[in-house]
Amino acid sequence: MTTNSELKTRRLAATPRGVGVMCDFHAQRAENASLWDVEGREYIDFAAGIAVLNTGHRHPRLVAAIQAQLAQFTHTAYQIVPYESVISLAERLNALVPISGPVKTAFFTTGAEALENAVKIARAHTGRPGVIAFGGGFHGRTLMTLAMTGKVAPYKLGFGPFPADVFHVPFPSALQGVSAADSLAALARLFKADIEPTRVAAIVIEPVQGEGGFNVAPTELMQGLRALCDAHGIVLIADEVQSGFARTGKLFSMQHHGVEPDLITLAKSLAGGMPLSAVAGRAHIMDAPAPGGLGGTYAGNPLAVASAHAVLDVIVEEKLCDRAAELGSRLVSRLLDAKESNKAIAEVRAQGSMVAIELCDPATGAPDAEAVKRVQAKAMEHGLLLLSCGMYGNVIRFLYPLTIPDALFERALNIIDDALKG
Ligand code: PMP
């Protein structure tokens, strides 16, 4: 049997440290919300491949769809020889995204690529360079998306210079005393101090910040951004790479606000573990780039597209939006109970099943990343995989598959209770 420690030695010798790896065990197989390592140990997977597996590991519907496509063809390059499944997936997404009027969708491979292309589309449409993003936001690891990402360590360290004309304003946070009005005031100041609104192509926002700590955007902010974008002809981009596909209790987080973006970026749970991303948006904006301006060799990979069709079927058939709301409220009530006795829990945040707790030193109020590490380690001892996030690494996020069986979910909640008792 290959052991985890043998694999770790080989891993450290063969792959660079820049690809930071969280776990010291190595995956052997996985099923729904469970994962087994090469030594046969079982874990409850509350990481879900970083929000990719809303439909769980190897959902039978996805496996069947991928197998059926495997028997047909695996690659033609859509830009060379197109195929129906991309057209029908675009049609389905065009009808589902929270944008009224004619919508078109372009496919890519990774989340970062979707964000890169959303900016290209917004620039082609407006003829302007500027991009405004939010502090603590995360949009990817390519150079343009790093410029938009609002967190220096570890993402940006040593990688500059970044593309110019990208600006940040603070994201609202009750804990840090930043209101939606403060964010909008910062934008107004930015328009005075740094860039005039008529040079701004796009404002990009995660409706719930993912890597930034599961901060939920207030409706007031979304309404304010929409009004500013309308007033100045700026493209509003909602980055739903992490918040999309039923995670928040609705198919897309923007649906909680009744505010329409102009473009929406999708990836992660879109194809349930196969690499696929997309930009959907108002048809006249999506058509701004000239033919050949968008694409990619693997964009719209047939296996990934087949998987995405199955994801959309499963979300409806298994009522995963309702399930996200139900599981999220069960978890939140347990976390609020824990907060009564554990004073390190400064805040419980949630939208549906996008749930997190922020840990701070009860005496000083300072962010406590070490406490997060202790909770993670304790949970891991009992076979529960938890992820951290947040500007200061002091947030624990819970990203279980929405298809998790009730009994397993309950087992995980008990492990979380214990881990939070210290
Ligand atoms: N946007 C958001 C909101 C994300 O959470 C991520 C990934 N964590 C990305 C973009 C980048 O996606 P990818 O890693 O697939 O490039």
Side-chain angles (χ1 to χ4, degrees):
M1 183 181 73
T2 316
T3 65
N4 284 312
S5 86
E6 280 165 12
L7 283 178
K8 184 177 177 186
T9 306
R10 284 171 51 200
R11 168 161 59 80
L12 293 177
T15 64
R17 64 181 190 141
V19 182
V21 172
M22 182 179 121
C23 293
D24 266 345
F25 60 87
H26 301 75
Q28 174 82 311
R29 67 189 174 90
E31 202 75 52
N32 199 355
S34 300
L35 191 149
W36 289 265
D37 74 6
V38 290
E39 295 175 10
R41 181 158 189 226
E42 182 179 351
Y43 297 86
I44 307 173
D45 187 0
F46 266 41
I50 326 180
V52 168
L53 303 163
N54 289 357
T55 49
H57 288 278
R58 301 183 69 254
H59 192 292
R61 289 291 298 264
L62 272 63
V63 172
I66 295 163
Q67 276 170 344
Q69 182 58 46
L70 199 52
Q72 306 277 310
F73 58 94
T74 62
H75 182 79
T76 63
Y78 182 80
Q79 291 156 253
I80 305 302
V81 183
Y83 31 93
E84 192 272 344
S85 60
V86 164
I87 301 164
S88 53
L89 186 60
E91 288 167 346
R92 290 179 84 176
L93 291 170
N94 294 345
L96 289 169
V97 295
I99 300 173
S100 54
V103 173
K104 289 188 174 185
T105 297
F107 294 98
F108 305 97
T109 311
T110 67
E113 246 189 304
L115 270 298
E116 289 274 347
N117 282 283
V119 171
K120 283 162 58 182
I121 293 164
R123 283 182 169 172
H125 167 68
T126 58
R128 307 172 182 177
V131 176
I132 298 171
F134 285 82
F138 183 88
H139 301 289
R141 288 185 152 89
T142 57
L143 282 169
M144 183 65 193
T145 58
L146 276 182
M148 297 194 289
T149 288
K151 183 176 174 186
V152 174
Y155 308 124
K156 299 187 176 201
L157 285 183
F159 295 142
F162 302 105
D165 279 329
V166 179
F167 304 89
H168 291 95
V169 289
F171 195 91
S173 154
L175 209 54
Q176 279 159 31
V178 181
S179 67
D182 292 334
S183 295
L184 292 168
L187 256 172
R189 267 198 305 278
L190 189 83
F191 289 154
K192 290 286 175 210
D194 293 301
I195 185 168
E196 66 274 32
T198 49
R199 278 190 74 241
V200 177
I203 297 178
V204 56
I205 183 165
E206 294 162 88
V208 183
Q209 284 193 325
E211 307 305 310
F214 281 23
N215 301 300
V216 181
T219 296
E220 186 193 338
L221 176 67
M222 287 301 181
Q223 288 169 341
L225 295 180
R226 185 67 269 169
L228 272 178
C229 288
D230 287 343
H232 300 294
I234 298 169
V235 176
L236 182 59
I237 303 173
D239 180 354
E240 295 241 21
V241 164
Q242 191 154 161
S243 58
F245 296 97
R247 172 57 55 185
T248 67
K250 295 195 185 283
L251 196 56
F252 301 107
S253 175
M254 285 303 283
Q255 292 169 300
H256 290 279
H257 301 291
V259 171
E260 293 189 8
D262 300 305
L263 301 179
I264 182 166
T265 52
L266 310 170
K268 293 197 187 268
S269 278
L270 162 63
M274 300 294 281
L276 186 71
S277 67
V279 181
R282 299 190 196 284
H284 70 284
I285 301 178
M286 291 297 295
D287 272 330
L294 304 177
T297 305
Y298 297 107
N301 171 270
L303 299 171
V305 168
S307 186
H309 274 289
V311 165
L312 293 179
D313 293 340
V314 169
I315 288 175
V316 174
E317 282 161 19
E318 301 187 15
K319 299 187 174 57
L320 291 189
C321 288
D322 294 344
R323 181 87 178 138
E326 184 211 320
L327 293 173
S329 69
R330 271 165 65 186
L331 173 56
V332 165
S333 83
R334 293 283 278 268
L335 293 171
L336 288 173
D337 285 347
K339 186 171 182 284
E340 291 294 310
S341 50
N342 185 338
K343 297 300 171 202
I345 303 176
E347 197 170 56
V348 178
R349 293 193 285 270
Q351 188 177 73
S353 273
M354 212 159 168
V355 181
I357 49 174
E358 177 145 359
L359 301 186
C360 295
D361 184 319
T364 63
D368 195 347
E370 288 310 309
V372 163
K373 287 191 189 122
R374 283 195 299 274
V375 174
Q376 275 182 306
K378 190 93 189 289
M380 191 79 96
E381 267 173 41
H382 294 94
L384 176 67
L385 190 51
L386 293 179
L387 288 185
S388 63
C389 62
M391 194 74 147
Y392 305 97
N394 67 322
V395 179
I396 299 176
R397 56 179 154 170
F398 304 93
L399 279 171
Y400 41 86
L402 303 173
T403 48
I404 187 170
D406 270 320
L408 198 62
F409 190 63
E410 197 53 38
R411 216 167 92 199
L413 294 189
N414 292 336
I415 296 173
I416 293 165
D417 275 344
D418 279 351
L420 287 172
K421 282 192 189 111

